[in-house]
Amino acid sequence: MERERKQAVWAIWFIVFPVFVFFIVDHFRAFPGENVTGLLSFAVLIILVSLFPIRIKSTSLIPLHGIALAVFLQFGLIAEMAVTQLALFTALLMLRLSKKEIYRIPFNSVIFLGVSMVSAGVFYLLGGTTGSMERMTADVVIPAAGYALTFFITNHLFIYVAIKYLTKRDVSFWDEGLKWEAFSAVMIVPVGLTVAMLYNQIGFMAILIMGIPFVSVSLILRQFHNSETTNGLLKKVSSYGYQVNENLSVDKIIDLFMDHVQTIFPVDAVHVYDYNPKDGLRFRNSTESVEGRQVDKLSLKVSQTSETLHFQSYKQWQEVETQDILSDTESVISVPVMRNQECVAVITLTSGRKRVFEKRHVMILEFMANYLAVAVQNARNYEMKKKESERCALTNLYNFRYFENLLLEKFDKGTSEDQQFAIILLDLDHFKRVNDTYGHHSGNEVLCQVADVLTNTVGSAGTVARYGGEEFVVLIEDTNLSFARSLAETLRQALENQPFVVENDLSEGNESLINITASIGVAGKSEPDETAMAVLRNADRAMYTGAKQQGRNRVAQFS
């Protein structure tokens, strides 16, 4: 909700609520003394019920409306409004509202005041009267049913309109929660009438008789809901575990982790830090901007102690860190990511609400941190093995296995027949002389320098690979033969004009500068059904017959 609208809500409440308090005070001045104990007992019962809401799926059901109806039937509208407001404040305090959500107190308070008055109005219009009720007759049941139905409709309608037009959120009027609220509304009448009738017959004991089952059922269903919620969270964690076991990169694994954390935990911010003793703690990923931001001391402490921190409010961690770093933060979980008994990363979750993270959240986050550690290590091993299988260990260029697979995947497996490409194949001239004169180690150094020249010259125009020995190959996609020949000539000149540094390993080891030339063959796809490997063989023919056999240090085009 926008700030101006929140201010308007507070302004309305500060006008309406004092008037309501005035009527309460004025009403209770003349309130019979013998009713005070009963009303206080109802107030205690409705507070207890508010402390233990019944959770069904994502909906919290608080059977306070039934108790409120009993209070209304027994003591009248003002008493009902008083205990309803008391229950409302209790329930909202249990929701652990953040500073940004505190407006919900006046927001719901005004709505419930309006709902109580409208419901009472319908009750009186239907001929209902409040006071002593000894039997369930039509004169009582029909107005009470009208009260319950009006309470249900106006409550949901007021909240729907307020959310849709004040907070500008796109909400549905008919949702899953409405079904359970309707069920709750149906139960209001028998519960309210039963409590009111029993109170008239046996007095204070009626509250104990009805209150104990209320609280007991709420506690049982709450425990059941907690178990169901934990199982649901574990299923989401299991889903995350399956997904990270796929062949994903480290960055994608961490992105997947961030996405799942935000759906599993009630967080405002997620921070993932890398840690090693040399560089310390550094941001790896975050749901907030980290530019110019310092690492919080809570995460730093976790990296140093390798122990989880769990705080329910700012007061618990204010001596360690200030809210200048963790702004608008109350609840915090910070867990270490361990590998080989050492902390390698830290995950920190924050929320602006108090007591939002429970013990199960700590357990699940530690579980996910273990998943993350294993998944990242597996991904790094996979990337390393993949690189080893695709790269030439000497030059760090792609090897021929990778290059051959690239050709087959891109051009020989269901690819459009009209896709054009060209291949440049080059062989260093008289390279055996380099090995024989300066040693094979120096020859390897020259090959590395040649690889650098080719990579820098080709750039993003193509893919460079080591074909084998002193031969190199370049793939140029979506191009014509004219461009490929021009690039090949550029490569030939770049090699010819580049002095290469060698150390004479066969003598004193002095450095020398030598020149290298290359014979180059170029071929492109000329027929729709021509395979990529055929084009490669044509480039090979052009290199040997058109360049090598014609004097070397030249470019030849297959035709």
Side-chain angles (χ1 to χ4, degrees):
M1 184 182 291
E2 297 177 359
R3 183 178 179 181
E4 293 77 11
R5 289 189 171 89
K6 290 181 181 179
Q7 292 174 344
V9 169
W10 279 104
I12 293 172
W13 188 74
F14 276 121
I15 294 173
V16 172
F17 197 75
V19 175
F20 165 65
V21 172
F22 170 79
F23 278 108
I24 288 179
V25 173
D26 185 65
H27 177 75
F28 283 115
R29 284 176 180 172
F31 199 70
E34 62 272 14
N35 290 340
V36 172
T37 302
L39 184 59
L40 289 176
S41 300
F42 275 110
V44 171
L45 176 60
I46 205 166
I47 289 175
L48 288 175
V49 171
S50 300
L51 289 173
F52 305 105
I54 300 173
R55 296 296 302 271
I56 301 177
K57 293 186 177 181
S58 60
T59 305
S60 293
L61 296 180
I62 304 176
L64 60 88
H65 300 155
I67 302 171
L69 174 59
V71 173
F72 173 70
L73 293 173
Q74 187 67 35
F75 303 110
L77 174 61
I78 298 298
E80 182 269 337
M81 293 172 72
V83 296
T84 300
Q85 290 289 306
L86 189 62
L88 173 66
F89 293 147
T90 303
L92 289 175
L93 289 174
M94 292 298 295
L95 290 179
R96 307 158 184 170
L97 301 176
S98 66
K99 292 179 181 178
K100 294 180 180 179
E101 297 175 317
I102 201 72
Y103 75 91
R104 291 177 60 182
I105 293 177
F107 178 81
N108 285 278
S109 176
V110 171
I111 287 178
F112 268 75
L113 289 173
V115 169
S116 292
M117 288 188 289
V118 173
S119 302
V122 171
F123 176 86
Y124 291 128
L125 286 175
L126 293 174
T129 58
T130 59
S132 179
M133 190 195 79
E134 297 179 355
R135 293 184 302 170
M136 291 190 188
T137 62
D139 293 340
V140 176
V141 173
I142 292 175
Y147 171 95
L149 181 62
T150 304
F151 202 108
F152 164 68
I153 294 175
T154 54
N155 179 57
H156 193 76
L157 182 63
F158 285 0
I159 292 176
Y160 170 78
V161 171
I163 291 176
K164 189 172 183 65
Y165 296 101
L166 288 180
T167 66
K168 301 295 182 181
R169 285 165 48 194
D170 187 17
V171 292
S172 173
F173 186 83
W174 303 101
D175 55 15
E176 183 70 20
L178 183 62
K179 298 177 183 178
W180 292 106
E181 288 178 20
F183 172 77
S184 176
V186 172
M187 298 302 296
I188 285 177
V189 178
V191 169
L193 292 175
T194 301
V195 172
M197 188 178 66
L198 284 175
Y199 180 77
N200 273 283
Q201 294 178 354
I202 60 177
F204 175 75
M205 289 299 298
I207 298 175
L208 288 177
I209 291 172
M210 296 299 294
I212 293 174
F214 268 139
V215 176
S216 299
V217 171
S218 295
L219 288 174
I220 293 170
L221 291 178
R222 185 180 187 182
Q223 186 63 36
F224 174 77
H225 170 75
N226 288 338
S227 299
E228 288 292 297
T229 301
T230 302
N231 289 337
L233 295 178
L234 290 175
K235 286 181 180 179
K236 291 182 179 180
V237 174
S238 178
S239 172
Y240 164 74
Y242 282 123
Q243 292 182 53
V244 297
N245 283 330
E246 299 176 0
N247 293 330
L248 301 177
S249 67
V250 172
D251 288 338
K252 288 185 178 179
I253 287 174
I254 294 177
D255 289 341
L256 187 66
F257 174 83
M258 300 288 285
D259 291 340
H260 276 74
V261 164
Q262 292 178 81
T263 61
I264 293 174
F265 300 90
V267 297
D268 291 335
V270 183
H271 307 295
V272 177
Y273 303 92
D274 281 332
Y275 174 75
N276 63 69
K278 180 181 178 181
D279 301 322
L281 206 61
R282 297 178 299 172
F283 277 104
R284 176 60 188 257
N285 209 332
S286 177
T287 56
E288 298 180 338
S289 173
V290 298
E291 186 176 354
R293 177 172 177 162
Q294 299 179 24
V295 173
D296 65 274
K297 294 178 182 177
L298 298 178
S299 301
L300 185 61
K301 184 176 181 180
V302 171
S303 69
Q304 295 169 345
T305 62
S306 299
E307 294 181 357
T308 296
L309 294 179
H310 176 208
F311 298 111
Q312 299 282 28
S313 68
Y314 172 59
K315 290 182 179 179
Q316 294 179 341
W317 53 270
Q318 62 182 348
E319 295 182 359
V320 181
E321 182 58 281
T322 66
Q323 285 189 317
D324 294 335
I325 304 296
L326 297 175
S327 59
D328 298 324
T329 297
E330 291 286 348
S331 301
V332 178
I333 304 178
S334 188
V335 305
V337 179
M338 306 296 291
R339 186 170 67 241
N340 298 329
Q341 305 300 316
E342 293 183 353
C343 178
V344 294
V346 175
I347 302 165
T348 300
L349 312 185
T350 66
S351 174
R353 292 190 294 166
K354 294 181 180 180
R355 300 179 298 279
V356 73
F357 298 130
E358 303 174 13
K359 289 184 178 179
R360 65 180 172 209
H361 291 130
V362 177
M363 176 195 71
I364 290 172
L365 185 59
E366 290 176 338
F367 192 41
M368 291 185 70
N370 293 333
Y371 259 140
L372 183 64
V374 174
V376 167
Q377 185 60 36
N378 289 342
R380 286 174 175 160
N381 291 336
Y382 173 78
E383 290 173 355
M384 181 179 67
K385 296 297 182 183
K386 186 172 182 290
K387 182 178 179 181
E388 289 175 354
S389 68
E390 294 179 346
R391 295 279 180 173
C392 166
L394 176 64
T395 63
N396 202 36
L397 295 177
Y398 289 114
N399 56 29
F400 181 69
R401 176 191 296 176
Y402 172 85
F403 190 82
E404 183 180 36
N405 290 335
L406 179 65
L407 292 179
L408 294 175
E409 289 291 334
K410 287 205 169 188
F411 305 109
D412 287 353
K413 290 187 178 181
T415 308
S416 174
E417 292 184 350
D418 60 357
Q419 186 173 2
Q420 297 299 306
F421 65 94
I423 294 176
I424 300 172
L425 186 64
L426 63 90
D427 181 84
L428 302 182
D429 297 328
H430 304 298
F431 193 74
K432 185 175 183 299
R433 295 178 184 175
V434 176
N435 289 328
D436 293 343
T437 305
Y438 301 100
H440 284 86
H441 177 74
S442 294
N444 288 340
E445 291 294 325
V446 172
L447 290 175
C448 293
Q449 294 174 59
V450 168
D452 291 338
V453 173
L454 297 178
T455 302
N456 294 333
T457 306
V458 173
S460 60
T463 303
V464 183
R466 187 180 179 191
Y467 192 74
E470 62 268 22
E471 293 181 320
F472 299 85
V473 63
V474 181
L475 170 65
I476 312 168
E477 301 179 47
D478 300 318
T479 189
N480 52 46
L481 201 54
S482 175
F483 175 80
R485 183 181 178 90
S486 174
L487 179 59
E489 179 59 29
T490 302
L491 290 173
R492 187 196 67 79
Q493 293 179 13
L495 291 171
E496 183 181 29
N497 297 326
Q498 173 71 37
F500 293 91
V501 179
V502 296
E503 292 183 4
N504 194 335
D505 293 332
L506 302 182
S507 58
E508 296 84 2
N510 297 326
E511 285 190 353
S512 302
L513 294 178
I514 63 172
N515 294 105
I516 297 292
T517 61
S519 298
I520 304 176
V522 182
K525 184 176 181 179
S526 58
E527 299 294 336
D529 59 348
E530 189 173 22
T531 66
M533 296 308 294
V535 176
L536 179 61
R537 286 193 293 271
N538 291 338
D540 192 40
R541 292 190 187 100
M543 181 190 71
Y544 275 103
T545 61
K548 286 284 187 186
Q549 295 178 8
Q550 298 301 319
R552 295 183 170 83
N553 191 22
R554 65 188 62 208
V555 175
Q557 177 181 318
F558 179 83
S559 57

